Amino acid sequence: MIAALYARYSSDSQRAESIVAQIRAGREYCRRKGYHIIKEYADEAYTGTNDNRPAYREMLRDAAAGLFEVVIFHKVDRNGRNEFDYYKNKQELARHNVRVEYSGQAFDSTSPEGALMENQLVGLAAYYSRNLSREVKKGLKENVLAGKITGGRPLFGYSVDKNKKYVINEEEAVAVRYIFERYAAGASYIDILREINARGYRTRRGAEFGKATLHDMLNNRRYIGTCILGKNQPYLDGRRNSHRPDHDGMIIVPNGCPAIISPDLFQAVHERMQENRRRGGRRTAKYPYLLSGLVYCGECGASMSGTRTRTRKKEIREYYRCCQKSNHGDAKCPNRYIYAPALENFIIERLAAVIDNESLLFRLAQKVQEKYDALVGNARVQIAALQEQEAKANKSLERLYEVIADGDTFDDFDRAQMKHLKQKILDIRAQREKLEQQPGKTISSAEIVHYIRDRFLPAIRQRTVSGLTELLQYFVHTVTVFRDKIRVEYWFASCRYSSERTT
């Protein structure tokens, strides 16, 4: 029987030597059973509370490909410490006719008694993990109550003393107070960031401050001395959200660390933030931004996103702006905003001119037809070649299986060859399936012209958002906005054509 070994250790008082011991036990187990090991998998420093482990996922993929017939773990807890994941993955392996056995625990899960033993071991493994988590959380809770750090880098504005307690970093605290005071006084994010970065302050990662960092700082209650544990506690489905509202699983400790700012200043900041949210809600009508994902800044290379501003006459206008400029101001990018409707209409009118022009559209259709015919003809040739390659690989694999069945010597070279052949067959099948999904019938230039006009002319004439979005996504490759010109690259028959317009 062809077997695979899997080993794992987590970071709870285990070392890499644990992998070696598990693999050794698995090899000895296979020698006694007469199994032929084709592959060994190992995950180092990965928890068993979920199955999101690289080698484990690779093992499941190889099982689905039929690479082996049985997978050997050392013990149940090396397979997993979560009941749902354990039985879900065991069922998946069973669907591919792969058995699960354990070198360090002798039970037969196919018998009633063995299944009962397996259930108990899985439950114990899950209990161990959850109990360990509970004990760890107890220690973290005590650290929070004592004003000690609970891991990770200390928040900007704080340092950690020899007793692992938070103390104010006076140099950074100056910047923290400046940020809160300036925002409460009405300054914008960009104005604050420009000053903070100019003074040489950097985040804990050594990067310049951006809007996201600033927003998180202004919402962090630690700056008024309140310590919080468990805000990022997962939901029942396992998802995490560090911005979720307060919940019962949180531990909130007022005066748990030294305060850098006053509660009144923190409240003033949040009143302004809430007012900004309410003001933004008054103009929530969505503008579609038809070129989203296609517009780039020609000055710094960053993408450009949609934004709305209010003019002096209190009119709301939509623009595309450089994301680098948005996050860090003019110091990072000197490019200007560009009026969104004008940019979109310019490109739509150019495309409409092509679709309305009989001669231009027919030439475009001819190019599409040439590409299409070449693709279809080439696909047929490639499919035939791949079928021949797959047949040869299958014959070679069958000969190796005959060697195993006859009991002849099956060495490491043979195992490597079998693995290579199976992977080759899977790759060939994937390529063939992809080619077979391509349409095989011929199509005329007239049909292409008819298709383009039927699909896109109504959208241009009626100005439907969905139709115009589809038109732009089909025909526009990129739009690059410079300070003095716009460059548009179009997709025409799998080729890129550029045009520029001076602004």
Side-chain angles (χ1 to χ4, degrees):
M1 183 172 287
I2 301 172
L5 303 183
Y6 176 85
R8 176 190 69 81
Y9 82 90
S10 56
S11 56
D12 51 350
S13 303
Q14 295 177 328
R15 298 177 299 170
E17 287 82 350
S18 172
I19 294 283
V20 177
Q22 292 174 53
I23 293 294
R24 185 185 301 114
R27 289 173 180 170
E28 176 60 24
Y29 177 86
C30 289
R31 188 190 64 76
R32 294 198 309 268
K33 301 279 283 188
Y35 294 165
H36 297 281
I37 301 171
I38 193 170
K39 192 166 183 179
E40 298 172 349
Y41 305 86
D43 278 312
E44 300 183 10
Y46 277 91
T47 178
T49 56
N50 62 67
D51 58 5
N52 189 24
R53 297 167 253 155
Y56 194 87
R57 304 310 302 177
E58 182 186 1
M59 180 270 293
L60 292 176
R61 289 193 297 271
D62 287 347
L67 193 63
F68 48 82
E69 300 167 279
V70 59
V71 57
I72 313 298
F73 300 88
H74 182 54
K75 292 184 179 181
V76 165
D77 60 0
R78 300 303 91 192
N79 186 344
R81 291 186 180 276
N82 177 285
E83 303 96 321
F84 176 79
D85 286 341
Y86 180 91
Y87 286 109
K88 177 193 69 175
N89 291 322
K90 185 179 179 184
Q91 185 178 26
E92 181 179 346
L93 290 168
R95 279 202 303 271
H96 302 300
N97 297 315
V98 176
R99 288 164 44 188
V100 174
E101 296 182 10
Y102 296 96
S103 61
Q105 291 172 326
F107 65 87
D108 178 10
S109 61
T110 61
S111 68
E113 296 80 11
L116 177 62
M117 175 64 72
E118 182 180 29
N119 289 341
Q120 291 175 329
L121 292 171
V122 172
L124 285 171
Y127 167 77
Y128 170 84
S129 179
R130 289 168 187 150
N131 184 59
L132 178 63
S133 174
R134 181 173 60 187
E135 295 304 314
V136 169
K137 287 177 181 177
K138 283 182 183 177
L140 292 175
K141 180 179 179 180
E142 292 303 315
N143 284 345
V144 171
L145 293 172
K148 293 183 178 180
I149 190 170
T150 56
R153 298 185 181 97
L155 181 66
F156 182 85
Y158 289 95
S159 299
V160 179
D161 65 11
K162 62 181 181 181
N163 296 317
K164 296 185 178 180
K165 288 191 173 185
Y166 284 103
V167 293
I168 295 176
N169 182 318
E170 292 299 340
E171 182 181 354
E172 295 178 348
V174 171
V176 173
R177 296 186 187 104
Y178 174 85
I179 289 170
F180 276 87
E181 289 168 359
R182 291 282 289 133
Y183 186 82
S188 68
Y189 275 16
I190 290 295
D191 291 338
I192 297 171
L193 290 172
R194 186 182 295 117
E195 181 64 24
I196 288 294
N197 289 323
R199 293 185 185 185
Y201 289 105
R202 296 295 180 264
T203 67
R204 283 282 178 260
R205 296 180 181 274
E208 289 189 346
F209 282 82
K211 281 186 176 180
T213 305
L214 205 61
H215 180 79
D216 288 344
M217 289 178 66
L218 292 171
N219 280 286
N220 200 315
R221 284 174 277 181
R222 187 178 293 278
Y223 289 124
I224 57 172
T226 300
C227 295
I228 297 175
L229 178 68
K231 187 174 183 63
N232 197 23
Q233 182 176 325
Y235 292 97
L236 291 176
D237 62 1
R239 292 181 299 111
R240 293 180 181 271
N241 180 8
S242 59
H243 300 290
R244 66 183 293 190
D246 290 356
H247 52 86
D248 293 339
M250 290 171 55
I251 300 172
I252 302 175
V253 183
N255 303 316
C257 69
I260 294 178
I261 63 169
S262 69
D264 290 342
L265 178 56
F266 190 84
Q267 182 62 29
V269 164
H270 274 256
E271 286 176 358
R272 186 189 168 201
M273 296 178 88
Q274 290 169 7
E275 177 60 26
N276 287 343
R277 281 194 289 268
R278 285 194 293 270
R279 188 181 301 119
R282 297 191 195 109
R283 45 191 174 100
T284 55
K286 299 293 184 182
Y287 183 81
Y289 296 104
L290 303 175
L291 291 167
S292 291
L294 301 174
V295 190
Y296 293 86
C297 175
E299 303 299 327
C300 71
S303 60
M304 298 185 77
S305 61
T307 186
R308 309 179 78 191
T309 63
R310 191 184 296 272
T311 66
R312 293 178 181 176
K313 295 181 180 180
K314 306 300 181 183
E315 296 174 346
I316 296 172
R317 305 194 77 184
E318 292 78 17
Y319 294 87
Y320 289 101
R321 65 177 176 183
C322 173
C323 293
Q324 183 86 305
K325 181 187 183 78
S326 172
N327 287 330
H328 299 285
D330 294 338
K332 282 292 183 181
C333 181
N335 209 351
R336 59 188 180 85
Y337 291 13
I338 185 165
Y339 187 43
L343 178 63
E344 293 162 358
N345 289 333
F346 162 68
I347 297 173
I348 290 168
E349 287 168 6
R350 295 292 299 273
L351 292 173
V354 173
I355 295 173
D356 272 336
N357 187 302
E358 188 77 31
S359 176
L360 283 175
L361 185 58
F362 189 76
R363 289 208 301 271
L364 171 62
Q366 284 182 316
K367 290 183 178 180
V368 173
Q369 183 188 16
E370 291 170 6
K371 294 279 184 181
Y372 180 88
D373 291 344
L375 179 65
V376 170
N378 190 40
R380 292 188 184 122
V381 173
Q382 290 182 49
I383 288 171
L386 289 170
Q387 287 173 335
E388 185 177 348
Q389 292 175 30
E390 184 178 353
K392 290 181 180 178
N394 275 320
K395 285 182 181 180
S396 300
L397 188 60
E398 286 172 6
R399 285 196 291 269
L400 286 174
Y401 280 133
E402 289 172 1
V403 170
I404 296 173
D406 293 341
D408 295 341
T409 304
F410 194 76
D411 56 20
D412 290 340
F413 177 80
D414 294 325
R415 293 189 188 95
Q417 182 68 5
M418 178 178 284
K419 177 183 175 181
H420 170 73
L421 286 170
K422 286 194 172 187
Q423 188 59 50
K424 182 178 180 180
I425 291 169
L426 289 174
D427 292 341
I428 290 172
R429 287 176 182 172
Q431 293 178 52
R432 197 185 72 220
E433 288 173 3
K434 186 176 180 180
L435 289 169
E436 288 172 346
Q437 289 173 2
Q438 296 178 5
K441 70 170 190 174
T442 58
I443 186 170
S444 67
S445 298
E447 287 176 309
I448 295 171
V449 168
H450 183 72
Y451 172 81
I452 292 174
R453 284 189 164 166
D454 279 358
R455 182 153 190 163
F456 298 115
L457 274 182
I460 294 172
R461 289 167 181 162
Q462 299 166 17
R463 293 283 166 162
T464 59
V465 172
S466 59
L468 291 176
T469 301
E470 186 179 35
L471 170 75
L472 294 168
Q473 294 292 333
Y474 262 71
F475 288 98
V476 177
H477 179 260
T478 53
V479 180
T480 308
V481 178
F482 298 85
R483 281 182 289 178
D484 57 349
K485 64 183 178 181
I486 300 167
R487 178 186 300 144
V488 184
E489 293 193 23
Y490 300 95
W491 281 118
F492 287 146
S494 300
C495 297
R496 283 158 58 178
Y497 294 84
S498 296
S499 67
E500 291 189 0
R501 174 188 176 184
T502 303
T503 57

